[in-house]
Amino acid sequence: MANSASPDIIYTKVDEAPQLASASLLPILHTFATAAGITIGTKDISLAGRIIAAFPEGLTEAQRQPDDLAELGELVKQPDANVIKLPNVSASVPQLVAAITELQGQGYNLPDYPEEPATDAEKDIRARYDAIKGSAVNPVLREGNSDRRAAVAVKKYAMANPHSMGDWSADSKTRVSTMSAGDFRSNETSVTLTEAQAGAARIEHTASDGTVTVLKDSVSFPAGTVVDGTYMSAQALQDFLAEQIKETKAEGTLFSLHLKATMMKVSDPILFGHAVRTFLKPVFDKYATEFDAAGIDPNSGLGTMFETLETMPNGAEIRAEIDALMAERPPLYMVDSDKGITNLHVPSDVIIDASMPALIRAGGKGWGPDGKESDANCVIPDSSYASVYDETIKYFKETGALDPTTSGTVQNVGLMAQKAEEYGSHPTTFEIPADGTVTMIAANGDVLHSHTVEAGDIWRSASTRNAPIENWVQLAIERQKAEGCQAIFWLDETRAHDMELIKLIKPLLDKAGVADKFQIMAPQEATRVSLETIRRGENTIAITGNVLRDYLTDLFPILELGTSAKMLSIVKLMNGGGLFETGAGGSAPKHVQQLVEQNHLRWDSLGEFCALGESFKYFGMVNDNAKATVMGKAVDAATQGILDANKSPGRKVGQPDNRDSHYFFALYWAQALAAQTEDKELADHFAPIAEALAADQDAILRELHEGRGNAVDLGGYYHTDDSKTSAVMAPSETLNGILGTN
């Protein structure tokens, strides 16, 4: 990078499984990169790291750490940015509280999370914590639009080594249910700001008695910004949920709620809470006073509720009533049937973009409380994107499961730069305190949006700036030209926001002379066409907004590859830099559980390998650095070697795990560097390393496997102990000695 004091490549420190994998992989990366004169630095964007950075006042000097997320937020705006970004926790309130409690137990003097802040000090603490929860990281770092696709090597491997797929039958009872009125989709209005309207807008709530409350002031927008306003009717939501509970019981299927309570950190926990309250309505009605006094919040889920009941004098009696009511309700889709953890236990346990593809891949089956698979009613309250899953399920009922050995691939070009669309709506989302009207007023006094609302409704505004839209269209044009395949803008002309985008997109395509290369289809139609296309073995590009980018880059990879963690994910930053994401797929808490209990980490770092290769090649291109380019090509060769030799982690103890794959990655990388002829210095340097890694393979694998099957201590979950983690994740003294990492 231009500043010699800064690392050439930034590798993010995150959470859970990918962070544990980093403890094994990063020392290898440092060794290899140093030989090419390239520096790799780290920035801590983990949940624990963000908590520590937000509350320095009570910490010792040794405990304090800088706000790395804020620093990265500035870095990604620089033309020479080169960041490898791993999946991080988008924390729900229960996860946030658990992380705070763990840090407090480790001696960090942090304030408790105030559930109901009363004083100004408590309100300040709550505001700082709320800025950490949910999707605090991605909107800051994603200063560019998304290019996600399966790497060629990964796709070829998946076709030659197909993953298991559940059988679909035409008489499957699995279905998607969604609201037909009163939801965000049906209440949405959208405008594109004129020059006169640009500037600082404000959002006001006028109660029925005339009282005016400013919900948000000085929301600044440049001209050309698409600004949306909408709301979810609480009454319509409750009626819908009650009806679906009744219908699910009659159908004999599982009741499964699918939301995004992490990324949509303001609205979706409230929707989740409505589901919990509606599912247990007689109990909530009967014990409303006791629940309020005990601080029971349905938004936090049944898990927290059951813990609180254990502390209440009549808690056992209430729990018995809940159990009796649950027996009358339809069985719940389970997160862990062995442990009795239901769909409604924790808001962040069932995330729609992961849960729906998993259910679809399994032939429409979900796990029930009896430990058996069953058909399910997939309840997706807001109808904005529910049609994608609805159409997918209907398609597979008609045609049977997809065949991974012959299917084509769905690439994605996603509009996400500068907090585009719903994922940037957190600061402008409000639970309405009283009946009245919510109005959004432009800088010049024009009323942009006005909605009549009732107490408990959820009102939100989202925005999409013109520069990201133009960049998105240009990226789509580049990808279609490179691939030469079908390309579809997934936009619905009957939806207010999408219609505004269509009015901007069409002139851009016409100006570029490529309008005939693209189609515009509503998501439901585009889903059907894309499934038909890949079933024929052909490829297609889905050009989508931010939410569909998230949903589709899990749905199609899970069907095509068996996982979304192996996607090539490149964010071409708008100011010229590169953000290389290591695939989708979350941060895999179950993988951590298995490591702690059995010393086996099944996290697959293939996404990290793909991102690393792109990062090196990008650095070489931008800086005219031939060594970096050679390193990147060798990474690609090593990644291909991992796939060809089947050295990816297995799921069970006794099989190779993440640490084994890292050893083989180092071996293949060193061999590729030793064999290449573009840079003799690198070849000479890595030849003896490759030889030693191969010669000592038996010893290295023996040392890596010592202690497998036994429990290990990481010193924490959200904030692990570095030395303990290193001992677990880099246990081979022989490997460490060869690489100089001991």
Side-chain angles (χ1 to χ4, degrees), residues 18-139:
Q19 174 52 26
L20 296 176
S22 294
S24 168
L25 182 58
L26 257 179
I28 297 171
L29 304 189
H30 282 299
T31 295
F32 278 71
T34 299
I38 299 169
T39 56
I40 298 179
T42 58
K43 290 290 184 183
D44 187 353
I45 59 171
S46 67
L47 176 58
R50 287 180 278 133
I51 291 171
I52 293 168
F55 293 93
E57 60 269 26
L59 306 181
T60 66
E61 190 62 34
Q63 291 174 328
R64 291 175 186 168
Q65 62 185 63
D67 187 346
D68 282 359
L69 178 58
E71 291 183 18
L72 274 183
E74 292 303 313
L75 174 65
V76 294
K77 297 175 184 177
Q78 304 305 312
D80 55 356
N82 191 323
V83 180
I84 297 175
K85 192 263 175 186
L86 281 68
N88 62 281
V89 165
S90 295
S92 63
V93 171
Q95 287 174 304
L96 179 63
V97 171
I100 295 166
T101 302
E102 179 178 303
L103 286 165
Q104 290 171 335
Q106 294 174 348
Y108 286 81
N109 182 21
L110 297 166
D112 292 334
Y113 179 80
E115 294 283 356
E116 298 182 6
T119 67
D120 287 343
E122 288 177 343
K123 291 176 182 177
D124 173 66
I125 292 169
R126 173 66 178 263
R128 283 196 269 173
Y129 275 134
D130 282 351
I132 295 167
K133 74 182 184 185
S135 57
V137 171
N138 290 337

Side-chain angles (χ1 to χ4, degrees), residues 33 139 319 531 536 553 585 664 697:
R319 180 60 193 268
L531 287 167
R536 293 194 302 267
T553 54
F664 284 106
Q697 182 173 131

Side-chain angles (χ1 to χ4, degrees), residues 176-185 232 236-237 240-241 244 255-260 268 271-272 274-275 352 378-386:
V176 168
S177 57
T178 192
M179 297 173 70
S180 58
D183 62 342
F184 290 124
R185 166 69 172 79
M232 167 72 75
L237 173 63
F240 164 74
L241 291 168
Q244 292 311 313
F255 182 87
S256 61
L257 179 70
H258 300 266
L259 294 167
K260 185 88 173 182
D268 282 26
L271 302 183
F272 179 85
H274 277 288
I352 183 171
C378 304
V379 179
I380 305 173
D382 181 46
S383 63
S384 296
Y385 307 107

